[in-house]
Amino acid sequence: MVQRSRFTFVMIKPSHYDDDGYVIQWAKSAIPSNTLAALYGIAEDCARRQVLGPNVDLDLVPIDETNTRVRPERIAARIRRNRGGGLIGLVGVQSNQYPRALDLARRFRALGCQVCIGGFHVSGTLSMLPGIQPELQEALDMGVSLFAGEAEGRLDDVLQDAQSTALKPIYNYMNDLPGMEGTPVPILPRERIGRTAGRHTSFDSGRGCPFQCSFCTIINVQGRKSRFRSADDIERIVRANVAQGVNRFFITDDNFARNRNWEPIFDRLIELREGEGFDVKYIIQVDTLCHKIPNFIEKAGRAGVKRVFIGLENINPENLAAASKRQNRITEYRKMLQAWRSIGVLTYAGYILGFPADTPEKIRRDIEIIQRELPIDLLEFFYLTPLPGSADHKALFENGVAMDADLNRYDLNHSTTGHATMSRAELEQAYRDAWETYYSPGHVETILRRARASGISVGNTLFLCLWFYCCVTLENIHPLEGGWWRKKVRTDRRPGLPIENPVAFHLRYWGGQISKHWTMLEMVLRYGRLRRQIKADPQSRSYSDLSLEPVRDEEMDSLDMYTLSQSAQNAVSKARRDAAASAAARARAGTG
């Protein structure tokens, strides 16, 4: 009888280091990893098809380091016990996570494990920059393999090579991105999903983007040609997760509104909810013109969409033009946000600071205009960051412009390159002031009153406002990296930084925890009283302000947002006319 063996495939989604050098980790993290779910589903399919042979079982181990400590020695011991070989996959590695991934890879290699690193940093760097960049060469010099591209249809080869201890140095599929229809269901075990707040899981219904935003890596990693799952695929994903008690989903498409299958997908989700009684809810990401698509928002509500993230990015047309974000139409923002509110959906919006035209005064002015004229619930701020894999990064690289050498800082929460008019200190202060301005007590009250008037949960809105504000002001971490109950391990500190004395470490850790949670408790009590007052107010349902009022054509000239839009557009048009006139004059003079 042929003896069976077990090959161990460990999939680790790494975190990254905080400013003190400790791994950012929580008892419960906020954002589920789509890459981890997708790769686990592909690996399960490999196991079912017995790609390593009929007598080899696959031991699949998914780990999200944002909520689980990675212990290389224990993992290496598990591989040895299984006696069938193994592979450590550091997956979905973004630029800010690459230093941590490299540190983990070094420890695993020292234990004799085979290691492969994949994700946006590897893919974006190989696709946009010449040759092999130093940080990728460092991995190759350790005997670590690099994977660029997407794993559907390609994981078989990697696992078979690992089984033969013959991994290739680089697997580069960037010029051959796979289709998505009929691919394995993205899924994670229920106990793994239980480590995320709200028991959310994630999947993508499409990849790629037709737009050309210069700060974005999506278009250069997933391509400008969009690829999609079918409605049948989405139904299989939802049913598989609901079968294990998971019914909250984050659909991670960069822009679900541009998914050509959006309507059949929504129709299928509506049938599951209204026809079969599925209690399912979704978070999606869209652009600022989605309200112009007939039936899109109405069907999103019926399908179960409860939160939507909108790529607002900025309201200054000069900045939007500089970022090639020409699809954003400022004077349409209010109509779009009101359309979402009409079906009780809570809105998030991302806002980028650090464009060339920005100054502290302009940033504050623009935020105050947003507060007054746009009914956004949650606004989250980001530094304009030249992410490796983006056109911005490539342009700075080719022109020799100085950029921060520490990839750990490329998390959108740190300044990483110079600004045309602001010093780094001024930009960082403007960033902090932006959070304080938007989440001021007065505006939080306005957000809650708008929520009450729109039929959106006041309690849930308040919770998210406090989550966003406290992540930045108390933890010095962006809300997208937030979670519940910060965990720190004294010995899990970035190499090169000293391991702290146990007594000093624990006094500082527990003192910080008590102080932060006391501050949070005071805020919860204070805003809790406000929440009760709003709900008890018999007039709260009829609350209104400028942002909730329909925009009439005759009003436009009096609105700051419209005036800002028009003045900036006029300035841009004048600059273009002046440039054209200057070029014509040079041509006539024979100097062109």
Side-chain angles (χ1 to χ4, degrees), residues 345-531:
V345 169
L346 186 143
T347 55
Y348 303 71
Y351 199 85
I352 298 174
L353 307 178
F355 283 108
D358 278 340
T359 65
E361 295 75 23
K362 286 182 180 179
I363 290 171
R364 176 176 286 276
R365 176 204 64 190
D366 292 351
I367 293 171
E368 290 174 349
I369 291 172
I370 290 171
Q371 288 177 311
R372 185 167 56 253
E373 297 184 13
L374 293 182
I376 295 170
D377 297 305
L378 299 165
L379 195 62
E380 49 186 331
F381 300 96
F382 305 92
Y383 284 97
L384 180 62
T385 303
L387 292 171
S390 69
D392 283 349
H393 182 272
K394 183 178 182 180
L396 295 180
F397 177 89
E398 290 177 342
N399 290 309
V401 177
M403 293 180 281
D404 202 309
D406 184 4
L407 288 171
N408 190 71
R409 291 174 57 85
Y410 286 69
D411 57 359
L412 310 181
N413 196 40
H414 290 84
S415 173
T416 56
T417 191
H419 188 268
T421 61
M422 290 185 280
S423 67
R424 174 169 285 193
E426 288 173 328
L427 178 56
E428 290 173 346
Q429 186 61 52
Y431 179 78
R432 290 190 292 270
D433 290 346
W435 288 98
E436 293 288 351
T437 299
Y438 189 79
Y439 291 97
S440 64
H443 190 59
V444 169
E445 179 176 352
T446 298
I447 293 170
L448 299 183
R449 291 193 178 279
R450 289 173 180 168
R452 179 69 170 172
S454 302
I456 297 170
S457 168
V458 177
N460 188 44
T461 304
L462 174 58
F463 169 78
L464 290 168
C465 284
L466 295 182
W467 175 300
F468 275 45
Y469 181 75
C470 289
C471 279
V472 174
T473 58
L474 299 182
E475 294 286 358
N476 196 29
I477 288 172
H478 197 277
L480 295 182
E481 295 185 301
W484 176 76
W485 195 265
R486 179 69 195 278
K487 295 165 65 178
K488 290 185 181 180
V489 177
R490 184 177 66 90
T491 54
D492 284 355
R493 200 174 194 190
R494 192 174 187 181
L497 295 175
I499 301 299
E500 293 187 77
N501 172 276
V503 175
F505 171 82
H506 288 291
L507 283 174
R508 190 158 67 93
Y509 172 74
W510 286 105
Q513 290 288 76
I514 292 168
S515 174
K516 286 181 285 192
H517 282 80
W518 182 259
T519 300
M520 284 189 277
L521 177 62
E522 289 180 326
M523 294 179 71
V524 167
L525 293 175
R526 183 170 71 252
Y527 281 111
R529 288 193 293 271
L530 173 61
R531 170 179 169 267

Side-chain angles (χ1 to χ4, degrees), residues 325-336:
K325 193 82 176 178
R326 295 179 179 87
Q327 68 272 20
N328 280 27
R329 300 288 185 266
I330 295 169
T331 49
E332 291 288 338
Y333 288 170
R334 193 199 295 183
K335 295 177 186 177
M336 175 268 300

Side-chain angles (χ1 to χ4, degrees), residues 3 108 206 211 238-239 269 318 415 454 461 472 492 503 535:
Q3 187 174 4
F108 279 114
F211 297 127
V238 172
R239 286 188 183 277
L269 298 179
E318 294 174 275
S415 173
S454 302
T461 304
V472 174
D492 284 355
V503 175
K535 295 188 73 171

Side-chain angles (χ1 to χ4, degrees), residues 127 147-154 157 171-180 207 220-223 225 227:
S127 68
F147 186 98
E150 298 169 7
E152 286 87 354
R154 283 68 185 263
D157 293 340
Y171 295 84
N172 191 342
Y173 299 103
M174 289 302 297
N175 293 324
D176 185 22
L177 298 175
M180 296 186 68
R207 296 175 192 160
N220 302 312
V221 174
Q222 295 185 349
K225 181 181 179 181
R227 295 160 289 135

